[in-house]
Amino acid sequence: LLWVLLSLFAVCELQAQREANTLQLGTPIARTIGRGQVHRFDIQLEKEQFLQLVVDQKGIDVLVRVNSPDNKILAEFDSPNGADGPEIVRIAVTAAGMYGVQVTALNQTEDVTGRYEIRVLEIRQALEPELRASRSGETLKAKGISLLSTLPELLSGVRLPQTRVRSQIQAAQLLWPVDEKLARK
């Protein structure tokens, strides 16, 4: 009986934690964050929807990433307002699914702690210009990845090994968030 009660408590705790990390329209979530921490939130979006959310920074400069349902980075947001004020996230999605929003401290070298509040301001059907901009961003990203994937062939003609290795490392760093397999290659 004790085992059943403990299991039930653990399941309820996990469900409560998952609900606490699910973004909903108009429901703010306040958190404290510091160096090395990443807070993850989920939001369900339908095909061709537009999402606008705000992360209100209170004493810490944060970086906000939006990931696709397959965990690829769609966009990063960091305005030049420093450690106080809003980070506004606006994105149109082309596919339905569970999207991820990550909040992390921008400065990973200093031991700084601060607070923020994340709140979904708007979810609606995306307008055609927003979808076009989203698709053109995806097309541009695909072209960039294609260019980076041809880099190893081009670098074989570089004579200085230091230059060749440095360029390969930089290309791998650019590719890593998008395609780990290609970055390793």
Side-chain angles (χ1 to χ4, degrees):
L1 184 61
L2 181 60
W3 183 81
V4 171
L5 287 174
L6 287 174
S7 296
L8 185 58
F9 177 73
V11 168
C12 289
E13 183 69 26
L14 278 174
Q15 186 173 0
Q17 186 177 6
R18 183 174 291 140
E19 288 174 5
N21 288 333
T22 300
L23 296 173
Q24 296 178 1
L25 185 63
T27 305
I29 299 174
R31 296 279 165 83
T32 299
I33 193 166
R35 179 182 69 181
Q37 293 180 320
V38 178
H39 294 176
R40 291 177 173 81
F41 302 93
D42 296 321
I43 186 161
Q44 180 69 41
L45 296 173
E46 299 303 319
K47 182 179 180 181
E48 298 184 346
Q49 276 194 319
F50 174 83
L51 167 69
Q52 180 177 346
L53 63 87
V54 63
V55 178
D56 191 21
Q57 306 166 117
K58 300 172 183 178
I60 190 162
D61 196 3
V62 299
L63 174 70
V64 182
R65 285 189 184 101
V66 178
N67 294 333
S68 66
D70 60 352
N71 209 29
K72 303 286 183 196
I73 296 174
L74 294 178
E76 293 185 343
F77 299 88
D78 176 41
S79 58
N81 56 4
D84 291 293
E87 292 293 348
I88 305 291
V89 173
R90 293 181 183 104
I91 191 163
V93 300
T94 56
M98 186 65 75
Y99 286 78
V101 177
Q102 295 179 354
V103 179
T104 186
L106 183 65
N107 188 339
Q108 293 295 321
T109 58
E110 294 179 19
D111 195 17
V112 178
T113 301
R115 295 192 50 75
Y116 69 90
E117 182 180 277
I118 185 169
R119 184 174 64 253
V120 176
L121 300 175
E122 179 179 27
I123 299 176
R124 61 170 166 76
Q125 190 66 33
L127 302 173
E128 190 54 40
E130 294 163 339
L131 289 171
R132 241 189 336 266
S134 177
R135 288 185 188 114
S136 69
E138 291 170 8
T139 303
L140 218 67
K141 189 175 183 180
K143 287 180 182 179
I145 291 169
S146 175
L147 271 171
L148 283 172
S149 66
T150 62
L151 195 60
E153 298 166 14
L154 298 172
L155 289 176
S156 63
V158 176
R159 293 182 189 207
L160 288 173
Q162 299 92 326
T163 304
R164 187 172 47 250
V165 169
R166 185 175 38 248
S167 297
Q168 288 172 330
I169 289 170
Q170 288 172 340
Q173 288 172 332
L174 289 170
L175 282 170
W176 190 265
V178 179
D179 189 345
E180 284 184 34
K181 188 177 178 181
L182 186 57
R184 288 178 196 275
K185 180 182 169 190

